[in-house]
Amino acid sequence: MSETSWFEPVRLSLATAAAASVLAFVLGSLAAWRMSLARFPGRTAVEALFLLPLVLPPTVVGFVLLVAFGRRSWLGAAFEWLVGQPIVFSASAAVLASAVVAFPLVYQTAKAGFASVDRDLTDAARSIGAGDWQLLRYVGAPLAARALGAGFVLGFARSLGEFGATLMFAGAIPGRTITLPTAIYLAVESGDDALAWTWCGAIAAIGFGLLLAARTFNNKP
């Protein structure tokens, strides 16, 4: 086993998880902020929809993405028109699948952080003319920074461990979509237990470090 062949899935996993966690963090944080301010009929149903990837099998998430972004869908056609190639079975598909499954964790953590912000502060800011975006920038985000940081780290960890949705939507293309979980699966299938254990150790070590970082964010005074 060469150093390059060993490290390639690690590099690809870290790159995919980084892009996916940024996407999940931005969308999850904005959704959490809007939902913390909004009061409307059906709010509970919308939140249940946001959290649905937590309870659905990853293969279902992957299948839905495959249908929604396939070449026959308008989303898939729009992406292909903009980029010049289909999103299915590409590195972008791996990022999107990982972001979708990481979104609920980011949303829940950010929502808890925004819920801890003193309402008197937001009301005072509104009384002097602050809009929703100003509230987020100057009040919500700074006061919920610990939760937002923890949410980003948890989103990264979840993206790193994503397997089922990625395999369904992005496939297993060497150098493009074979992340660590997929590489472990393929190594076990081929009977290379030593390589599988190596990659298991790598993803376990990275995951352990991420969980420690998330705890540190939450426990900071």
Side-chain angles (χ1 to χ4, degrees):
M1 176 181 61
S2 68
E3 182 179 348
T4 302
S5 65
W6 176 88
F7 188 70
E8 181 61 22
V10 179
R11 181 198 66 78
L12 192 58
S13 284
L14 292 174
T16 301
S21 57
V22 169
L23 181 59
F25 176 77
V26 171
L27 296 179
S29 299
L30 289 177
W33 176 247
R34 294 301 303 173
M35 293 298 284
S36 71
L37 299 176
R39 295 292 182 272
F40 57 89
R43 184 173 182 271
T44 302
V46 173
E47 288 206 308
L49 183 63
F50 286 164
L51 300 177
L52 199 55
L54 275 180
V55 297
L56 285 177
T59 49
V60 173
V61 176
F63 177 70
V64 171
L65 289 173
L66 195 59
V67 173
F69 288 90
R71 302 188 77 170
R72 296 181 180 179
S73 72
W74 68 270
L75 285 173
F79 183 92
E80 187 171 354
W81 179 77
L82 287 171
V83 180
Q85 64 179 22
I87 188 173
V88 177
F89 303 131
S90 68
S92 298
V95 171
L96 182 57
S98 297
V100 168
V101 297
F103 175 88
L105 277 178
V106 176
Y107 172 79
Q108 279 287 77
T109 311
K111 179 188 170 187
F114 290 137
S116 67
V117 175
D118 192 339
R119 279 286 176 184
D120 290 340
L121 294 176
T122 57
D123 290 342
R126 281 196 184 281
S127 70
I128 58 174
D132 289 347
W133 290 108
Q134 290 172 311
L135 284 175
L136 174 61
R137 181 178 177 183
Y138 297 110
V139 181
L143 294 178
R146 284 188 305 166
L148 293 176
F152 178 82
V153 174
L154 289 174
F156 190 101
R158 182 64 187 89
S159 299
L160 190 71
E162 167 48 34
F163 171 63
T166 301
L167 189 62
M168 287 282 292
F169 187 42
I173 304 171
R176 293 176 63 189
T177 63
I178 296 184
T179 55
L180 273 172
T182 306
I184 293 167
Y185 172 77
L186 295 175
V188 171
E189 265 204 332
S190 64
D192 195 341
D193 290 350
L195 187 55
W197 275 114
T198 301
W199 281 327
C200 284
I203 198 169
I206 297 170
F208 182 75
L210 290 170
L211 287 176
L212 281 181
R215 295 285 294 178
T216 302
F217 273 116
N218 273 330
N219 292 334
K220 271 186 179 181

